[in-house]
Amino acid sequence: MALTLYNTLTRQKEVYKPIEAGKIRMYVCGITVYDYCHIGHARVMVSFDVITRYLRSQGWDVTYVRNITDVDDKILNRAIENGESFTDLTDRMIDAMHEDEDALGVLRPDIEPRATGHMDDILDMVQILVDNHYAYVADNGDVYYRISRFPEYGKLSNKNPEDLLAGARVEVGDIKEDPRDFALWKSAKPGEVSWDSPWGPGRPGWHIECSAMSICCLGETFDIHGGGPDLPFPHHENEIAQSEAATGKQYVNYWMHAGAVRVDDEKMSKSLGNFFTIREVLKKYHPEVVRYFLLSSHYRSPINYSEENLIEAKGGLERFYTALRPFADVQPVALDTLKDSDYYQRFVTAMDDDFNTREALAAMYDLVRDINTQAKTDDVRARQLVAELKAMAGIFGILDADPEAFLQGGGEGDLDAEQIEALIVERADAKKNRDFARADQIREDLLAQGVVLEDSREGTTWRRE
């Protein structure tokens, strides 16, 4: 099956056709670094990390660019609130973002441009738009893009420009020619950080930053542009308008957007008190549980963050790790040896169908069932299947932990491993002494504290629920 992906621009799945054979140039909108990353950011990070890992596993030469917005109204306002320079704030938040990514197993992009490092590119693009009358300088020194000059405005978000005009709010004393026009360059207020420009000191608008950075890193037309669910309008719509007006070429061939994260079926919002940073979530859940939870739904589907769904994700991972427990020494097989594997072919078919991780995981679950069956009668075959499973898991960035450590890992206040092992020994002694009531009581007491005992001919093992 050929690689197909859903293109937000055409609102349908399309067979992927690269600009250059064998290569994929992809840009994903990154974080505005004024605060810690939240679980919605994690959705985008993990989704495009898995997409990149999969594409490379299939032989594609991928250049993955994900930007950092390090100058913005939110950043400047937060720096003032904190009484620190905006560069100190952004450096601190970038370090925190990388810590969160590392914890979640998200690989770094090939290029991670910062807006402040591309000011010349931004100024050049704004100047081209002004020179070609796609932009104008307002009386206060701001530079605005003329939406009326771009008849295709709205093609990504499927919005009618005239409807936008009807719904636009006109402010008293508005200096824009048209209320729909958006800022390319903002003149600096007294004491505000600024850069010199032909229109006076100021700083770039948010939208122009991504156009300049993406074109600088990937060229005037590139293959894939991705981002979060809130970006098609206005951010990506504005990127298209300013980029295509500046270059005269199609900006991007395929647009991809991750689905929204809801919390207990409500929109995540600080005002609702249901806003969770990645580091808050990781205090309670193993990073692989969070990553697995985010992979368990198709990247375009909305996903509901809830205790119930995180517990379900933990249970799903435990099924994998329980199967791997006797085979911790087995290494993943090379992918090019799996051409005859039905499980791997199902995995690839699912991923080639717009990166359907949910269906790919279903193939892996069936493989686990086969491993458990073979482990009872054919150790050699079971180990071969484990090597296949680990190869697929490597593409998803999961099953990296030691099975024993994952299954026995506990949280603050839980019984530690030494205490549990002592109770298992006490239970074994009770059974030898035919004190079955005490043996049963120990099992029940441990279960009440989230510890499951599993008896076999080889002895008793344990894991946490």
Side-chain angles (χ1 to χ4, degrees), residues 153 227 239 253 344 404 407:
Y153 191 84
E239 276 191 63
N253 287 347
Y344 182 63
E404 208 72 22
L407 292 168

Side-chain angles (χ1 to χ4, degrees), residues 116-156:
T116 55
H118 287 264
M119 208 56 66
D120 288 343
D121 299 312
I122 292 168
L123 290 168
D124 288 346
M125 181 171 278
V126 175
Q127 186 65 66
I128 290 170
L129 294 170
V130 170
D131 291 345
N132 292 330
H133 308 291
Y134 281 97
Y136 58 93
V137 184
D139 293 341
N140 68 346
D142 289 354
V143 181
Y144 289 95
Y145 184 90
R146 282 190 178 97
I147 282 181
S148 61
R149 283 272 287 136
F150 192 74
E152 289 187 289
Y153 191 84
K155 64 182 178 179
L156 178 69

Side-chain angles (χ1 to χ4, degrees), residues 97-346:
M97 177 188 72
H98 287 154
E99 289 170 3
D100 291 341
E101 287 182 307
D102 292 345
L104 289 172
V106 173
L107 304 177
R108 302 287 170 83
D110 299 298
I111 307 172
E112 196 171 51
R114 301 187 187 188
T116 55
H118 287 264
M119 208 56 66
D120 288 343
D121 299 312
I122 292 168
L123 290 168
D124 288 346
M125 181 171 278
V126 175
Q127 186 65 66
I128 290 170
L129 294 170
V130 170
D131 291 345
N132 292 330
H133 308 291
Y134 281 97
Y136 58 93
V137 184
D139 293 341
N140 68 346
D142 289 354
V143 181
Y144 289 95
Y145 184 90
R146 282 190 178 97
I147 282 181
S148 61
R149 283 272 287 136
F150 192 74
E152 289 187 289
Y153 191 84
K155 64 182 178 179
L156 178 69
S157 56
N158 202 28
K159 293 182 181 292
N160 186 321
E162 296 307 313
D163 292 340
L164 293 174
L165 179 60
R169 214 174 137 190
V170 180
E171 301 286 349
V172 176
D174 197 342
I175 48 147
K176 294 189 284 186
E177 295 177 354
D178 185 317
R180 301 168 300 176
D181 294 346
F182 59 89
L184 300 172
W185 186 260
K186 298 181 178 182
S187 59
K189 298 173 182 148
E192 193 173 61
V193 62
S194 64
W195 287 261
D196 291 333
S197 82
W199 320 285
R203 57 188 174 80
W206 176 36
H207 312 299
I208 196 71
E209 293 176 352
C210 278
S211 286
M213 285 186 283
S214 61
I215 288 174
C216 176
C217 295
L218 297 175
E220 292 179 339
T221 302
F222 54 93
D223 298 284
I224 297 172
H225 194 316
D230 55 336
L231 295 183
F233 184 86
H235 185 51
H236 289 162
E237 198 72 71
N238 291 350
E239 276 191 63
I240 290 173
Q242 62 204 9
S243 301
E244 296 189 357
T247 67
K249 300 175 182 177
Q250 179 162 322
Y251 177 42
V252 173
N253 287 347
Y254 301 89
W255 289 86
M256 299 175 63
H257 294 93
V261 174
R262 297 176 67 80
V263 178
D264 291 325
D265 291 317
E266 289 188 308
K267 182 179 180 181
M268 186 170 65
S269 166
K270 287 185 177 179
S271 63
L272 293 174
N274 64 357
F275 180 90
F276 298 103
T277 65
I278 294 172
R279 52 194 52 211
E280 286 172 336
V281 174
L282 294 183
K283 287 178 182 177
K284 190 169 184 180
Y285 294 99
H286 191 287
E288 271 202 24
V289 171
V290 178
R291 186 177 177 96
Y292 182 87
F293 160 70
L294 296 170
L295 288 174
S296 60
S297 295
H298 190 281
Y299 80 91
R300 283 193 290 113
S301 300
I303 191 168
N304 186 45
Y305 177 89
S306 67
E307 293 286 330
E308 181 181 345
N309 287 342
L310 266 294
I311 291 170
E312 184 179 337
K314 183 173 181 287
L317 265 183
E318 285 175 348
R319 284 179 59 190
F320 284 112
Y321 275 114
T322 299
L324 294 179
R325 200 175 203 168
F327 306 105
D329 61 315
V330 175
Q331 297 301 308
V333 70
L335 293 174
D336 59 7
T337 66
L338 294 179
K339 292 186 174 67
D340 295 327
S341 165
D342 291 339
Y343 295 112
Y344 182 63
Q345 292 310 314
R346 282 177 57 196

Side-chain angles (χ1 to χ4, degrees), residues 329-452:
D329 61 315
V330 175
Q331 297 301 308
V333 70
L335 293 174
D336 59 7
T337 66
L338 294 179
K339 292 186 174 67
D340 295 327
S341 165
D342 291 339
Y343 295 112
Y344 182 63
Q345 292 310 314
R346 282 177 57 196
F347 179 95
V348 168
T349 298
M351 291 299 287
D352 277 349
D353 183 14
D354 193 32
F355 309 106
N356 193 333
T357 53
R358 188 176 182 86
E359 287 300 314
L361 282 171
M364 293 170 67
Y365 272 128
D366 288 345
L367 177 52
V368 164
R369 187 160 45 245
D370 199 358
I371 289 169
N372 291 333
T373 300
Q374 295 296 330
K376 298 172 184 176
T377 57
D378 189 343
D379 184 72
V380 172
R381 178 57 179 157
R383 294 174 76 86
Q384 291 173 342
L385 295 175
V386 166
E388 287 188 26
L389 177 63
K390 288 188 174 182
M392 293 179 228
I395 296 172
F396 278 0
I398 59 173
L399 307 186
D400 282 338
D402 174 73
E404 208 72 22
F406 180 87
L407 292 168
Q408 297 182 354
E412 187 177 345
D414 288 338
L415 289 174
D416 62 29
E418 188 175 335
Q419 291 170 312
I420 295 168
E421 295 289 352
L423 287 168
I424 289 174
V425 170
E426 182 182 343
R427 176 174 174 262
D429 289 341
K431 289 170 76 173
K432 285 179 186 176
N433 296 326
R434 305 188 67 79
D435 187 354
F436 299 115
R438 176 57 183 154
D440 290 344
Q441 187 62 53
I442 291 172
R443 174 188 282 277
E444 290 172 12
D445 288 347
L446 286 172
L447 186 59
Q449 296 183 71
V451 178
V452 179

